[in-house]
């Protein structure tokens, strides 16, 4: 995927975030808090506990459903993270060869389990992040983090990152294009070329940062980003959202729901 | 406030690498005046503008805005009086939405949110961009960005508008809209630009910079009619004052 397409995809999330569903209207803090709790629960599970991850898929799925977010959009973006995730976990099956369980004739090693757990967990985390942006909007997430106590410095960094990623990417695309036009077709930039392209991009970015800072100073900036919008209320709906999901996460974190259900189903069959 | 709203006396500036950028600049803008600042690339236009908003401090000479000298301790006041519109609107529009961006200045001055919101609406209406209020800046066209960038400055209610290349990167219609917009403003204006036709339409007075010095300062029409002067400063007459593109005859005598 080219930089252009990746950015267009990112903008699509903004459009989705502009929708008006009950979930979109919910105070962003509730969604951010619940998502944080979700990530802690998912990421703290034992590396071999693959089946226990399954119930956690309910959160992003239900959020996408309620927020009218097409699952295809989420899947496409989540797939972007897949190569990185695969790279992180790819050596696990080679190192950890202790057999943990047998699926019929197949002996499943600890490495295979932890590899699938890494992939599954990352996909869950990434798609939940994407769904959160699509039902809340990046800007609102930043504001929510600010109201939850994140220091302004980090907050402004995040907001600027999102604002200027498009400008920066446009500059990078232009530079790559200019390089392509002067090269034999199909040749990829060498490491050396990448080095000078990146260096150039860094210098331009620093220049731009200087100009933006100047523009901010010209309009009275004194280190604090002003807040204009009326602040949302953390009302009954937000509490309900937090409580319901909180209880669900606790339940699936403490109890091995799939095994329990399996045992129950087994008992019924017998 | 004195009627000399902007006054530069013997201003000089040398870049840290030793390149002289401005030498002996004497310039006075009167209240409500609209002045074009023209000059070839590297003549020192942008450096001069940066001095007016306090981004650079003059190494020699002094600058006054109204009754206030431009020094470190008066920068806040100076920046409230001088509204600077940057060349690249992307540098000026850094907030998540247009409304946030236009409100940035008024809120920093300390206006209550309700009043800031009124200013936002008024400024956006003035530049005909009220409908863009909720849009993120990166979703705007070049012309829209420029209009919103001007609104961000108008919302701070400055007395002096300083613009760096206001018509750069605009398509002809957006440029035309910009010209009619600027014509409607009663602010004291200083427009640094390569667009001499724009200067001809908007500014009764023109200043030519060449290699960091003021080479001419006078009525726009007279200055643009002096071809030898323009030529010596690396400039050409505005397109509308150049010879007929069909037969090469003098514009006024030409039948085309």
């Amino acid at each position: 995927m080219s930089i252009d397409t990746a950015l267009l995809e990112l903008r699509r999330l903004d459009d989705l975030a502009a929708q008006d569903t009950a979930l979109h209207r919910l105070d962003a803090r509730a969604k951010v808090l619940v998502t944080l709790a979700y990530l802690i629960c998912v990421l703290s599970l034992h590396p071999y506990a693959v089946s226990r991850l399954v119930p956690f898929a309910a959160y992003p799925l239900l959020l996408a459903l309620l927020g009218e977010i097409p699952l295809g959009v989420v899947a496409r973006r989540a797939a972007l993270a897949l190569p990185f995730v695969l790279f992180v976990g790819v050596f696990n099956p080679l190192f950890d060869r202790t057999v943990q369980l047998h699926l019929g004739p197949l002996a499943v090693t600890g490495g295979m389990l932890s590899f699938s757990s890494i992939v599954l967990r990352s996909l869950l985390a990434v798609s939940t992040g994407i769904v959160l942006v699509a039902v809340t909007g990046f800007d609102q997430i930043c504001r929510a983090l600010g109201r939850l106590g994140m220091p302004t410095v980090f907050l402004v960094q995040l907001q600027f990152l999102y604002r200027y990623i498009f400008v920066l990417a446009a500059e990078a695309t232009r530079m790559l294009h200019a390089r392509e036009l002067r090269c034999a077709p199909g040749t990829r930039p060498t490491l050396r070329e990448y080095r000078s392209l990146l260096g150039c991009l860094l210098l331009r970015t620093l220049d731009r940062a200087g100009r933006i800072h100047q523009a901010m100073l010209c309009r009275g900036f004194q280190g604090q980003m002003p807040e204009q919008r009326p602040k949302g209320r953390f009302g009954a709906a937000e509490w309900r959202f937090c409580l319901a999901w909180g209880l669900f996460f606790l339940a699936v974190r403490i109890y091995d729901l799939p095994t329990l259900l399996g045992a129950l189903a087994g008992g019924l069959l017998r | 406030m004195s009627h000399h709203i902007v006054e530069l006396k013997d201003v000089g500036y040398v870049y840290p690498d030793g390149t002289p950028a401005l030498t002996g600049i004497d310039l006075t803008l009167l209240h409500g005046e609209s002045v074009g600042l023209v000059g070839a690339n590297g003549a020192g236009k942008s450096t001069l503008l940066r001095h007016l908003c306090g981004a650079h401090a003059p190494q020699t000479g002094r600058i006054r805005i109204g009754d206030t000298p431009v020094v470190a301790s008066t920068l806040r006041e100076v920046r409230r009086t001088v509204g600077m519109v940057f060349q690249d609107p992307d540098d000026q529009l850094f907030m998540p939405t247009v409304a946030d961006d236009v409100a940035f200045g008024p809120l920093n001055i300390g206006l209550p949110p309700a009043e800031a919101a009124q200013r936002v609406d008024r400024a956006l209406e003035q530049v005909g961009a009220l409908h863009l209020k909720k849009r993120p800046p990166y979703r705007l066209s070049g012309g829209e960005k420029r209009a919103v960038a001007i609104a961000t400055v108008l919302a701070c209610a400055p007395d002096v508008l300083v613009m760096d290349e206001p018509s750069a990167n605009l398509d002809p219609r957006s440029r035309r809209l910009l010209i009619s917009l600027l014509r409607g403003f009663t602010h004291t204006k200083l427009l640094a630009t390569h667009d001499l036709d724009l200067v001809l339409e908007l500014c009764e007075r023109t200043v030519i910079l060449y290699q960091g010095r003021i080479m001419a300062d006078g009525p726009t029409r007279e200055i643009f009619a002096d071809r030898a002067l323009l030529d010596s400063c690396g400039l050409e007459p505005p397109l509308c004052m150049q010879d007929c593109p069909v037969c090469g005859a003098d514009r006024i005598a030409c039948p085309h």
Side-chain angles (χ1 to χ4, degrees), chain A:
Chain A
M1 185 185 289
S2 73
I3 301 177
D4 287 358
T5 345
L7 284 180
L8 278 179
E9 293 262 305
L10 199 62
R11 288 183 181 189
R12 178 84 202 280
L13 288 186
D14 276 343
D15 291 338
L16 290 170
Q19 293 184 110
D20 189 28
T21 68
L23 189 60
H24 281 82
R25 281 192 297 272
L26 215 58
D27 190 293
R29 281 173 299 172
K31 289 179 268 186
V32 169
L33 280 176
V34 170
T35 305
L36 279 179
Y38 173 81
L39 290 178
I40 292 171
C41 288
V42 170
L43 299 179
S44 65
L45 273 174
H46 192 274
Y48 293 166
V50 180
S51 63
R52 292 194 56 186
L53 286 169
V54 177
F56 280 101
Y59 179 61
L61 280 176
L62 211 62
L63 237 58
L65 205 70
L66 292 174
E68 294 169 18
I69 311 298
L71 288 177
V73 174
V74 182
R76 266 208 310 280
R77 282 165 187 75
L80 285 178
L82 210 52
F84 302 100
V85 174
L86 289 177
F87 184 73
V88 169
V90 75
F91 294 112
N92 282 23
L94 299 177
F95 291 135
D96 184 356
R97 287 161 177 270
T98 33
V99 177
Q100 293 292 331
L101 58 115
H102 289 274
L103 281 179
L106 182 71
V108 182
T109 65
M112 286 154 84
L113 279 179
S114 60
F115 173 65
S116 6
S117 160
I118 286 178
V119 173
L120 205 60
R121 263 192 274 194
S122 313
L123 285 182
L124 282 178
V126 171
S127 27
T128 305
I130 293 165
V131 173
L132 177 70
V133 175
V135 296
T136 315
F138 196 80
D139 171 35
Q140 286 302 319
I141 294 177
C142 288
R143 284 169 199 267
L145 287 171
R147 291 181 71 189
L148 289 170
M150 190 197 235
T152 321
V153 180
F154 297 127
L155 201 65
V156 174
Q157 294 278 330
L158 263 184
Q159 281 178 331
F160 274 34
L161 175 78
Y162 196 66
R163 163 68 182 92
Y164 283 101
I165 195 164
F166 299 105
V167 179
L168 195 66
E171 266 178 22
T173 315
R174 275 199 301 272
M175 282 163 66
L176 283 174
H177 194 207
R179 182 206 150 269
E180 255 166 47
L181 292 177
R182 285 180 288 156
C183 286
T187 49
R188 291 187 155 275
T190 60
L191 210 56
R192 207 184 145 82
E193 283 170 343
Y194 263 125
R195 202 174 60 193
S196 58
L197 280 173
L198 278 176
C200 203
L201 200 60
L202 176 71
L203 289 178
R204 285 188 196 194
T205 310
L206 286 176
D207 269 355
R208 186 179 287 281
R211 293 199 303 273
I212 295 166
H213 185 231
Q214 217 31 261
M216 293 171 78
L217 288 177
C218 280
R219 285 192 279 147
F221 180 66
Q222 294 159 67
Q224 284 291 325
M225 294 302 266
E227 174 73 56
Q228 181 205 14
R229 264 178 245 175
K231 292 180 171 158
R233 213 171 62 86
F234 206 95
E238 282 76 17
W239 281 113
R240 272 201 302 275
F241 182 80
C242 288
L243 268 177
W245 281 112
L247 286 175
F248 175 73
F249 295 157
L250 267 182
V252 291
R253 179 69 187 79
I254 295 170
Y255 301 107
D256 185 353
L257 214 58
T259 316
L260 284 177
L261 284 177
L264 199 66
L268 285 179
L269 283 178
R270 229 178 284 137

Side-chain angles (χ1 to χ4, degrees), chain B residues 30-138:
Chain B
L30 301 181
H31 197 83
E33 215 177 9
S34 185
V35 177
L37 181 66
V38 301
N41 288 328
K45 302 188 295 292
S46 298
T47 313
L48 181 59
L49 297 194
R50 266 181 236 136
H51 277 82
L52 292 180
C53 64
H56 287 333
Q59 287 159 345
T60 58
R62 59 186 172 79
I63 304 175
R64 294 182 83 84
I65 309 284
D67 292 327
T68 316
V70 180
V71 287
S73 57
T74 59
L75 280 186
R76 281 197 69 192
E77 199 182 330
V78 165
R79 285 172 178 158
R80 221 191 259 201
T81 315
V82 180
M84 170 95 178
V85 181
F86 284 67
Q87 182 172 351
D88 183 353
D90 267 327
D91 293 342
Q92 196 148 10
L93 307 176
F94 42 79
M95 296 291 279
T97 66
V98 165
D100 287 333
D101 224 308
V102 182
F104 183 84
L107 289 173
N108 274 329
I109 301 173
L111 291 187
E115 202 174 328
Q118 280 177 9
R119 285 236 192 148
V120 170
D121 285 355
R122 212 176 325 140
L124 283 173
E125 210 167 349
Q126 257 182 299
V127 300
L130 195 56
H131 60 291
L132 305 173
K133 199 173 156 183
K134 291 189 176 150
R135 298 262 289 272
Y138 54 82

